[in-house]
Amino acid sequence: MTSEAALIEAARKGSSRAFADLVHAYRERLLRFLLTRSSSFADAEDALQDTLINAYRYLHSYDSRWRFSTWLYRIAINNAARLRKQDAVQIDDLGDEEGDPLAQCIADSDRENLWLTARRVLNDEVFTAMWLRYAEDMSIKDIAAVLGRSVPWTKVNLMRGRKILETELNDATDEMSKVYG
């Protein structure tokens, strides 16, 4: 298996195969992320295509001091911002996970409801920080770099986002308890 650094270097030298391997490694994750920032699947795909085209076009400007994923997500955020509409977000499960179909449906529903609630109650930057941390498992340092913010800002806003989301989810649970006894 070729390392990411070797693929980046080969792609910089013109290897379309190396760039295709990089795309394969990040395509699904980027699409999921862009779905949270777009009003439709088509808009997310457009933003993904623009992201990959821009990544290829500006690969020479990539600074290897940062993780490649950080650089890609920054491009994706910029592209999504251009296409973003204020309509509802639709999140689809793109994976082919095995296991009990009913358990998978319940888990998918809970995850979607959590992220839809987060999208509704958090501002764009805090939502993006939360997504990158908990859905993409990105480090605080990398999230700060993607957002162009400081590490302390990122930590504080992740904490605030968790508290806002916790309050919102607890309020919704309390309302459901009153309705259903």
Side-chain angles (χ1 to χ4, degrees), residues 85-102:
K85 296 177 184 168
Q86 296 301 319
D87 296 340
V89 176
Q90 186 69 31
I91 300 175
D92 294 324
D93 183 22
L94 302 175
D96 292 329
E97 300 179 44
E98 297 181 41
D100 179 22
L102 179 58

Side-chain angles (χ1 to χ4, degrees), residues 2-160:
T2 307
S3 76
E4 186 175 271
L7 289 173
I8 293 166
E9 192 55 39
R12 281 181 163 169
K13 291 179 180 175
S15 170
S16 59
R17 180 66 190 150
F19 189 74
D21 288 348
L22 287 168
V23 166
H24 179 73
Y26 288 99
R27 185 186 182 288
E28 187 173 313
R29 288 180 13 197
L30 281 170
L31 184 58
R32 283 186 184 173
F33 172 72
L34 290 165
L35 280 167
T36 68
R37 304 186 68 79
S38 303
S39 61
S40 70
F41 188 81
D43 285 347
E45 283 185 321
D46 288 346
L48 175 64
Q49 181 176 347
D50 290 345
T51 297
L52 297 175
I53 289 169
N54 288 339
Y56 186 76
R57 182 178 295 151
Y58 298 107
L59 192 56
H60 66 277
S61 70
Y62 166 67
D63 184 348
S64 60
R65 291 180 299 169
W66 300 101
R67 291 179 51 202
F68 187 69
S69 60
T70 301
W71 184 70
L72 270 179
Y73 278 96
R74 182 73 250 164
I75 295 170
I77 287 170
N78 290 340
N79 286 318
R82 282 195 292 270
L83 295 174
R84 179 129 197 249
K85 296 177 184 168
Q86 296 301 319
D87 296 340
V89 176
Q90 186 69 31
I91 300 175
D92 294 324
D93 183 22
L94 302 175
D96 292 329
E97 300 179 44
E98 297 181 41
D100 179 22
L102 179 58
Q104 188 62 44
C105 284
I106 292 169
D108 290 347
S109 177
D110 288 347
R111 183 173 49 250
E112 287 177 10
N113 288 338
L114 172 69
W115 288 113
L116 290 172
T117 300
R119 180 83 223 127
R120 183 174 43 80
V121 299
L122 302 174
N123 70 40
D124 281 347
E125 279 190 312
V126 174
F127 175 81
T128 299
M130 298 276 291
W131 178 271
L132 293 175
R133 182 70 180 145
Y134 300 110
E136 300 298 334
D137 198 29
M138 197 176 275
S139 73
I140 303 280
K141 181 180 174 187
D142 288 341
I143 295 167
V146 166
L147 295 176
R149 296 291 194 153
S150 68
V151 169
W153 181 95
T154 304
K155 288 179 180 179
V156 166
N157 280 282
L158 282 170
M159 181 192 65
R160 287 179 182 162

